[in-house]
Amino acid sequence: MTYYLGYHYGILVVIQFVIKKKGELAAFGKAISIMSIVAILSIGSSASKLWTTYEYTKETMRGPDIEKQIRVQLLMQMLKVAGMGLCNAMEQWVW
């Protein structure tokens, strides 16, 4: 949800930048800098939760699939032992 909120704020910033007049750009710049500082502080305050979620996703079904990588490596080794290349082994499935 925060991801989409960031997109909406980005769109809002662009729209406000286009609408503002030249004399108001200094106030606009101050507001943007304050919003940027607040965004950095908010990400920093929840960094521990974000980091644990990041580490957890490596081991879930959405992260890298270690078992699949092992199965592919075993298949490649079996094909090498049998003297077949991957193209020769899979050629029957193409036609």
Side-chain angles (χ1 to χ4, degrees), residues 8-70:
H8 286 94
Y9 274 131
I11 292 169
L12 178 67
V13 165
V14 170
I15 290 171
Q16 288 296 320
F17 181 74
V18 170
I19 292 174
K20 294 291 181 187
K21 296 178 181 139
K22 290 187 179 184
E24 299 175 351
L25 287 180
F28 180 72
K30 288 178 187 177
I32 293 299
S33 62
I34 290 172
M35 283 181 59
S36 300
I37 292 170
V38 169
I40 291 170
L41 290 175
S42 66
I43 291 171
S45 67
S46 61
S48 63
K49 292 180 184 178
L50 292 172
W51 189 260
T52 54
T53 303
Y54 169 73
E55 288 179 345
Y56 177 72
T57 55
K58 293 179 185 177
E59 300 176 11
T60 62
M61 62 187 275
R62 295 181 183 219
D65 189 4
I66 302 298
E67 293 176 5
K68 183 178 179 182
Q69 293 173 359
I70 292 172

